[in-house]
Amino acid sequence: ISDGEFGSALNGVATYDRGVLHHGSHMIDLIQMLAGPVRFDRLFASRPGHTPEDPLCDAVVTTPSGAPITLLGVDAGPTGVFELQLMFEDAVVALEDFSRYIRIRRAMPEPLTPGRNRIANSATMETRWPEALAHAFAEFHDAVRDGTPLSSDSINAASAEMICAAIRDAARAPATCQPEKVQAR
């Protein structure tokens, strides 16, 4: 993604549970890691979440290039959900099963429509998700010992929290209020 191999971001869909501040903030952090800083664009629905202070919100955030990414909060009961699909010019990248798996579907020529591409099917690949905690501790150790920069730091966390707080605040506002455009970082 960062090398531009898939082309420009066109749009995305992110599904999370447990509340916009709880898992929603992790989703925003992940989106910003993959697609760059986003800004809160609009809220279109909200409902109770994990706690009264943390609703499930359906909202749109926008990348610097203007690509909309739709956040969908889901009350899945005892079943957790945290999945992201990003559509690029030349591929669809999906993180599935709480980021345990990744699916990269690349564009290929469409034989039925010459001059047009289609997004092909592909198999999922396991990520290195089981190593995530060990990697985080090793990265923190290196940062303390050598001053090595963290791949995700307090600035990233604050940015995600500010965006999610703005989404939550828009959900609390009277229906006549329009959400303020919020961009952090």
Side-chain angles (χ1 to χ4, degrees), residues 135-150:
H135 175 75
F137 283 129
E139 197 175 269
F140 181 72
H141 176 268
D142 292 347
V144 171
R145 187 187 67 202
D146 305 326
T148 305
L150 297 167

Side-chain angles (χ1 to χ4, degrees), residues 38-43 60 62 163 166 178-184:
V38 297
R39 68 178 169 80
F40 170 40
D41 191 23
R42 66 186 166 280
L43 172 78
V60 175
T62 308
I163 291 166
Q178 293 296 317
E180 178 182 338
K181 305 284 185 196
V182 174
Q183 182 169 345

Side-chain angles (χ1 to χ4, degrees), residues 9 11 44 69 73-74 81 85 90 107 114 167 170:
N11 65 31
F44 56 90
I69 299 176
V74 176
V81 63
Q85 178 174 295
D90 297 320
I167 293 170

Side-chain angles (χ1 to χ4, degrees), residues 47-181:
R47 60 208 152 284
H50 184 60
T51 66
E53 300 80 29
D54 192 8
L56 291 164
C57 296
D58 299 340
V60 175
V61 297
T62 308
T63 68
S65 67
I69 299 176
T70 303
L71 299 172
L72 299 171
V74 176
D75 181 359
T79 304
V81 63
F82 186 89
E83 298 194 349
L84 174 63
Q85 178 174 295
L86 297 173
M87 176 76 191
F88 295 90
E89 293 171 316
D90 297 320
V92 173
V93 177
L95 288 164
E96 302 168 346
D97 190 9
F98 278 86
S99 300
R100 288 175 172 91
Y101 297 93
I102 187 168
R103 179 187 307 265
I104 299 173
R105 300 173 52 215
R106 296 180 185 272
M108 63 181 295
E110 171 52 65
L112 299 176
T113 311
R116 188 165 165 87
N117 288 336
R118 67 183 176 89
I119 299 298
N121 196 10
S122 72
T124 58
M125 299 169 280
E126 251 186 288
T127 64
R128 294 172 51 194
W129 184 85
E131 302 168 24
L133 193 54
H135 175 75
F137 283 129
E139 197 175 269
F140 181 72
H141 176 268
D142 292 347
V144 171
R145 187 187 67 202
D146 305 326
T148 305
L150 297 167
S151 58
S152 184
D153 58 19
S154 60
I155 294 169
N156 301 40
S159 172
E161 289 294 325
M162 287 174 57
I163 291 166
C164 290
I167 293 170
R168 183 211 46 211
D169 292 347
R172 291 178 171 174
T176 57
C177 294
Q178 293 296 317
E180 178 182 338
K181 305 284 185 196

